[in-house]
Amino acid sequence: MSAQALKSDITATAPVPEASPFDRWLPATPATAEPDWLARIRAAALARVRSEGAPTGKSEGWRYTGLRTLLEQGFTAVDEPLSALLPEDIDEVLVSGLDAHRVVIVNGRFTPQLSDLSNLPAGVRISPLCTELAGAQTALADHLNAVAGEGAHVFAALNSAGFEDGMMLHAERGTLVEQPIELLHLSVGMDEPRIAQPRHLISLGDGAQVALIERFASLGDALYGNNALMEIRLGRDAALKHRRIQLESPSAFHISGVYLSQAANSRYDGINVGIGARWARTDLVTRFSGEYAECNLQGLYLAGDKQLLDYHLDVHHGLPHCASRENFKGIVHGRGKAVFDGLVYVAKDAQHTDAEMSNRNLLLSEHAEVDTKPQLEIYADDVKCSHGTTVGQIEPEMLFYLRSRGIPQALARRMLCIGFAGEIIDALGNDALAAYVAEAVGHRLEAVPL
Amino acid sequence: MLSIQGLKAEVDEKEILKGLDLTVGAGEVHAIMGPNGSGKSTLAHVLSGREGYAVTGGSVTFDDRDLLALEPEERACLGLFLAFQYPVELPGVNNTYFLKAALNAKRKYHGEDELDAVSFLRLMKEKLKVLHLDDSLLKRPVNVGFSGGEKKRNEIFQMALLEPKLAILDETDSGLDIDALRVVANGVNALRSPERSMLVVTHYQRLLDYIEPDYVHVLAKGRIIRSGGKELARELEDKGYGWIVDEAAA
Ligand SMILES: Nc1ncnc2c1ncn2[C@@H]1O[C@H](COP(=O)(O)OP(=O)(O)OP(=O)(O)O)[C@@H](O)[C@H]1O
Ligand SMILES: [Mg+2]
């Protein structure tokens, strides 16, 4: 099926007197049958988007992340669901050998005919957010925006104002889901640049354990945008393994946020891999609502020519005895640019916090750029906190060792890059997924002049 | 096989090799001994093509080719092998993958097909046995977390796999206990053949008890100042280097 053949016939929203550069990101027709509480959330979010407008180079958190190219694209909201895709159309973007329950979001919408939830165990519910909302569930009123509320940046508000669908996942107390759940964002280019704004709500009851593999992929290398937002609530003793593999089309613009609230003794283990997209910004935000919770954030990014990959981490220790560990590694080549901004805040009362942050970067060319900004703000006095960042080149000694064994220079450099990335790839903890990511990394590095 | 004439080399504008002559014939084992800092590792590095050394004079031919004009990987593919004094750790680079890449690079250079997985594994098993290496080391990243002795044995293991024409062993014996020394020496001896030459850099006679050299040279202050048979090594063990250095200066 040719994506370009899909014609859209809805014209843009009429300009409103008080406008923001993002108004056209919002759906032209407001969703009908939405509950009042949601209408109020949307109105407040829209008001915020309009009053704040687009962040500038002076805005906190956007110094190194220019928005000009994003704004120039003239994105408009995805206006109609792509219902014509058949399961065989998406074979090419699947991870071979991955056994998982699968949800496929196409251009922002939950697409049941591509999803496979037939073997979902008891105790887990997965459903399209739009049907949940149409059911006027008041329960969701407490959930939506509960985690990604006030403090989040304008794109989170924009998502609240404009989302139409997404995934709702709830695992009941004590549920163990053995097979991972895959959440695949599949983007298909349309005849003009469209942006999708899916919203996902994940909640794990006390003691529940889930592995979630979230992926971003595309059919073809079209220009499109995603502004995806996920809110996660982990109950006491709950554990979530969250893998996020961003392999958007090279022309795509990607914004995503994961907002996480962790109850006592819960564990979040997240790994973010960023390889695709022309411009990508990811925010990972954690709040602890109970003691002895643990948040582990790892990442691997590969930024090349004309590519910007930006990760903003924000871990707030407001309570004692919680642990956070951040380990991000980046490879930047050509004229690529990467941003790592890691904030760990330890409040006065958060004694016995254990926080560790590391960001290591490998620059493969003279013009590659990385802006790394670890920030530890510590107001408690009995804590264990450390951070380290490095920006370096391939070690000449290592390169010589490989070459002295007959391995050609380009292959030797590639081997060392893959070795550098290997720590994060191995940590994925799923052979099929690790092989998929390793191949994507290898494939990218093969295209790089080394 | 190898002919070095008047070789001069600098590091950071400091002359380390000051006109070194050495000829190694096919199948010969030459030991190079000499005080610390005399330039033994520098010679090994210059021969294998490491960056950072400026060759300011002399020539090196290896099988009738101008060795110094070749890239390090090409020297390796032509049969030169350096067992490092300090083997380098390669985090994240799997040892098996590394060995396979090295072996296949060499085969490709010579227009041979890559080795299939089964033949490769068979070959590794066979060589592992000779060096008493545990095959768990193959699953780990190259040299990372290896003990000193394991690193040295891993070097000889690579040599066994790559079957070079000229092997340079830079203090492969230092840091080995007596059992490991015997294993390494056995590994080296198993590779001795009329076509394979070796340059063995060492400070100790004990290695030469196991690997009997045809010639022993003393390298001091960037030159070979004395050459002899294996009895020279024994004399050095007894008397140290001082007397030769003094004689050479006189
Ligand atoms: N990269 C370098 N920069 C500066 N000086 C160097 C460098 N490499 C070697 N040298 C110097 O060159 C001289 C010879 O060093 P080399 O390592 O070749 O000695 P060696 O004979 O192998 O000594 P040892 O027996 O201790 O291994 C020493 O004075 C050393 O300090
Ligand atoms: Mg040395």
Side-chain angles (χ1 to χ4, degrees):
Chain A
M1 191 207 69
S2 157
Q4 272 66 31
L6 294 163
K7 194 90 188 107
S8 79
D9 55 5
I10 296 194
T11 47
T13 344
V16 283
E18 210 190 329
S20 84
F22 303 113
D23 282 0
R24 280 157 51 93
W25 288 29
L26 305 176
T29 44
T32 48
E34 272 189 355
D36 286 348
W37 62 264
L38 180 56
R40 281 195 296 277
I41 284 180
R42 291 205 196 269
L46 183 61
R48 194 177 145 208
V49 170
R50 289 195 172 149
S51 68
E52 273 187 35
T56 68
K58 291 197 190 81
S59 313
E60 182 65 28
W62 294 92
R63 252 181 73 202
Y64 304 106
T65 314
L67 283 165
R68 197 168 53 86
T69 49
L70 173 72
L71 294 170
E72 277 171 4
Q73 305 306 316
F75 281 117
T76 56
V78 174
D79 59 346
E80 54 181 325
L82 253 182
S83 49
L85 281 178
L86 298 171
E88 55 265 33
D89 294 326
I90 68 165
D91 278 351
E92 63 179 274
V93 296
L94 296 183
V95 176
S96 81
L98 179 66
D99 285 324
H101 311 288
R102 184 188 308 129
V103 169
V104 182
I105 304 283
V106 178
N107 291 356
R109 283 183 218 242
F110 195 115
T111 308
Q113 83 267 16
L114 302 178
S115 302
D116 179 4
L117 297 171
S118 49
N119 294 317
L120 215 55
V124 195
R125 202 154 63 91
I126 293 180
S127 50
L129 190 65
C130 67
T131 43
E132 294 288 335
L133 292 171
Q137 276 234 358
T138 46
L140 285 184
D142 304 331
H143 196 165
L144 198 108
N145 254 9
V147 188
E150 298 291 291
H153 59 52
V154 71
F155 291 98
L158 199 48
N159 180 288
S160 293
F163 77 83
E164 290 186 285
D165 202 357
M167 174 181 79
M168 208 212 64
L169 184 163
H170 176 67
E172 282 168 23
R173 183 188 157 84
T175 314
L176 293 182
V177 187
E178 299 209 352
Q179 242 183 28
I181 296 163
E182 183 183 16
L183 172 62
L184 170 61
H185 297 85
L186 181 64
S187 296
V188 184
M190 310 293 274
D191 53 349
E192 54 182 282
R194 299 286 188 175
I195 191 152
Q197 303 202 73
R199 176 68 158 251
H200 310 295
L201 300 180
I202 316 285
S203 60
L204 268 58
D206 293 351
Q209 294 190 16
V210 171
L212 177 65
I213 296 175
E214 190 184 357
R215 297 201 295 124
F216 292 85
S218 70
L219 290 179
D221 51 10
L223 163 61
Y224 61 84
N226 266 316
N227 176 27
L229 184 59
M230 179 178 281
E231 293 183 83
I232 302 174
R233 289 192 304 185
L234 301 184
R236 286 184 76 96
D237 309 311
L240 178 65
K241 273 203 171 94
H242 190 187
R243 307 292 178 252
R244 307 185 74 238
I245 316 296
Q246 187 274 94
L247 261 169
E248 303 267 30
S249 126
S251 319
F253 288 74
H254 171 101
I255 304 162
S256 66
V258 176
Y259 292 82
L260 180 66
S261 164
Q262 293 190 244
N265 204 35
S266 62
R267 270 168 305 153
Y268 176 81
D269 166 16
I271 301 180
N272 282 263
V273 176
I275 296 174
R278 170 177 171 191
W279 186 102
R281 161 68 176 242
T282 297
D283 285 77
L284 307 170
V285 181
T286 305
R287 300 288 178 263
F288 299 109
S289 66
E291 299 184 3
Y292 297 98
E294 227 180 271
C295 179
N296 193 347
L297 301 171
Q298 298 196 79
L300 170 69
Y301 48 84
L302 261 80
D305 265 345
K306 293 191 202 142
Q307 204 182 9
L308 167 81
L309 298 180
D310 173 3
Y311 286 89
H312 268 64
L313 279 51
D314 172 353
V315 179
H316 185 105
H317 287 266
L319 293 169
H321 295 292
C322 290
S324 64
R325 189 171 99 90
E326 303 173 350
N327 180 25
F328 270 64
K329 294 178 108 172
I331 299 174
V332 190
H333 58 90
R335 291 178 180 274
K337 182 174 165 176
V339 179
F340 174 86
D341 185 318
L343 169 65
V344 173
Y345 182 97
V346 183
K348 195 159 158 286
D349 297 330
Q351 300 294 9
H352 308 290
T353 288
D354 185 350
E356 197 185 309
M357 184 182 345
S358 157
N359 174 231
R360 281 166 287 169
N361 296 279
L362 206 51
L363 298 189
L364 299 186
S365 79
E366 202 185 329
H367 299 290
E369 181 185 333
V370 62
D371 296 295
T372 172
K373 191 177 163 204
Q375 310 175 64
L376 252 54
E377 282 187 42
I378 302 168
Y379 299 98
D381 51 18
D382 187 8
V383 297
K384 209 172 103 197
C385 295
S386 68
H387 72 91
T389 61
T390 57
V391 177
Q393 279 91 38
I394 286 178
E395 294 278 348
E397 278 209 345
M398 296 185 186
L399 191 61
F400 175 65
Y401 191 71
L402 289 168
R403 295 178 75 194
S404 78
R405 299 312 186 231
I407 298 170
Q409 165 138 257
L411 175 58
R413 286 176 65 97
R414 202 153 61 228
M415 284 170 71
L416 292 172
C417 289
I418 291 172
F420 177 77
E423 178 192 358
I424 307 295
I425 296 174
D426 292 345
L428 289 168
N430 176 302
D431 290 347
L433 191 66
Y436 173 79
V437 170
E439 196 191 313
V441 170
H443 187 74
R444 159 63 76 82
L445 291 171
E446 245 160 65
V448 175
L450 283 170
Chain B
M1 165 127 348
L2 179 76
S3 163
I4 304 173
Q5 275 164 354
L7 184 63
K8 293 185 178 178
E10 298 181 348
V11 178
D12 292 339
E13 294 180 10
K14 177 179 158 202
E15 189 166 69
I16 312 285
L17 300 183
K18 303 174 179 173
L20 185 143
D21 301 300
L22 181 68
T23 305
V24 179
E28 293 173 359
V29 174
H30 291 238
I32 297 191
M33 306 183 79
N36 292 126
S38 58
K40 302 180 298 295
S41 293
T42 302
L43 173 64
H45 288 147
V46 168
L47 292 179
S48 52
R50 188 184 182 132
E51 274 172 36
Y53 299 89
V55 174
T56 51
S59 67
V60 181
T61 54
F62 177 57
D63 272 352
D64 301 325
R65 298 183 65 151
D66 176 5
L67 188 72
L68 300 176
L70 304 173
E71 294 294 324
E73 53 266 44
E74 207 173 355
R75 301 182 195 196
C77 289
L78 288 170
L80 190 83
F81 181 90
L82 168 64
F84 284 56
Q85 181 173 4
Y86 304 108
V88 181
E89 299 189 2
L90 306 178
V93 180
N94 173 275
N95 209 8
T96 303
Y97 175 58
F98 159 69
L99 295 166
K100 201 167 171 186
L103 198 63
N104 281 331
K106 188 169 180 182
R107 293 178 70 95
K108 196 169 162 195
Y109 184 86
H110 292 287
E112 295 162 10
D113 284 340
E114 293 197 349
L115 217 53
D116 64 74
V118 178
S119 327
F120 175 72
L121 283 174
R122 203 171 289 147
L123 183 64
M124 290 223 294
K125 277 232 169 78
E126 181 192 311
K127 306 286 181 185
L128 276 173
K129 242 188 261 158
V130 181
L131 285 152
H132 298 245
L133 267 172
D134 192 58
D135 62 0
S136 69
L137 292 185
L138 296 175
K139 298 182 190 109
R140 303 209 338 227
V142 181
N143 293 328
V144 178
F146 287 25
S147 72
E150 284 169 345
K151 282 182 184 167
K152 294 299 178 78
R153 273 187 284 164
N154 196 32
E155 294 290 292
I156 302 306
F157 175 56
Q158 292 169 37
M159 170 171 117
L161 212 57
L162 294 171
E163 301 185 324
K165 276 191 197 152
L166 173 67
I168 305 167
L169 311 185
D170 192 358
E171 294 197 29
T172 300
D173 54 334
S174 45
L176 293 183
D177 61 33
I178 192 72
D179 294 331
L181 181 73
R182 203 174 292 132
V183 168
V184 162
N186 285 342
V188 172
N189 284 331
L191 286 165
R192 283 184 82 154
S193 88
E195 298 86 50
R196 188 166 294 129
S197 314
M198 295 188 191
L199 215 52
V200 180
V201 175
T202 183
H203 288 290
Y204 305 104
Q205 169 61 36
R206 56 174 203 168
L207 178 70
L208 304 179
D209 288 341
Y210 292 103
I211 307 172
E212 277 203 15
D214 301 303
Y215 302 93
V216 175
H217 309 276
V218 178
L219 201 163
K221 296 184 182 153
R223 280 195 194 91
I224 304 279
I225 55 165
R226 172 78 60 112
S227 298
K230 56 180 182 253
E231 65 291 343
L232 177 57
R234 221 155 264 137
E235 217 175 334
L236 291 168
E237 184 95 339
D238 294 341
K239 301 204 259 171
Y241 298 112
W243 60 283
I244 299 185
V245 176
D246 292 344
E247 267 179 35

